[in-house]
Amino acid sequence: MATPFDENIESVESQTNAERVPWRLVRQLSLSIVLFSLVLIKPVVAQDGVVCEAEQLPDMISGFFQITTALGIIGLVVVWQADSLAEMFTVNPEQKKGLKQHKRTALKSAIILVVLGPLYTVAGSTMGLPLAECVDLVPW
């Protein structure tokens, strides 16, 4: 004779088994993707200078990075000005603190965006990365 306690144990066990199946599936799927990508990526990695030998690809990558950096700096200016304007009309100290935090976050993001390109160019050419040798990621 089944008691309510036994029914609860069975439902918990069935939930536990149901939760284990997706994690096992996720692990198997991720392992399969990694192994499959290693098999597919090896021939692509064996090709040297594919990006540099393309006609307009290095210029397109440089242009994209310059546009992205410019938009990031413009976004910083817009966010900074909007937060400064909102700060003037805000009376609540908690809201002012939140606006100052938002300004700091925007400034950190813009600094990372501006520093990332030159850092990749210098570090990439030092490490011998092929993309860093033919693509100029310095935004100015």
Side-chain angles (χ1 to χ4, degrees), residues 49-55 57-58 130-135:
V50 174
V51 174
C52 295
E53 291 175 4
E55 287 182 26
L57 190 58
L131 187 64
E133 293 174 4
C134 63
V135 176

Side-chain angles (χ1 to χ4, degrees), residues 2 4 48 53 66 69 80-81 87 104 122-123:
D48 290 333
E53 291 175 4
Q66 289 175 353
T69 304
W80 194 275
Q81 291 299 319
E87 240 179 290
R104 270 187 248 122
V122 171

Side-chain angles (χ1 to χ4, degrees), residues 1 22 28 34 49 81 96-97 99 104 122-125:
M1 179 178 201
Q28 288 176 348
V34 168
Q81 291 299 319
K96 283 188 179 186
K97 186 177 178 182
L99 289 169
R104 270 187 248 122
V122 171
S125 62

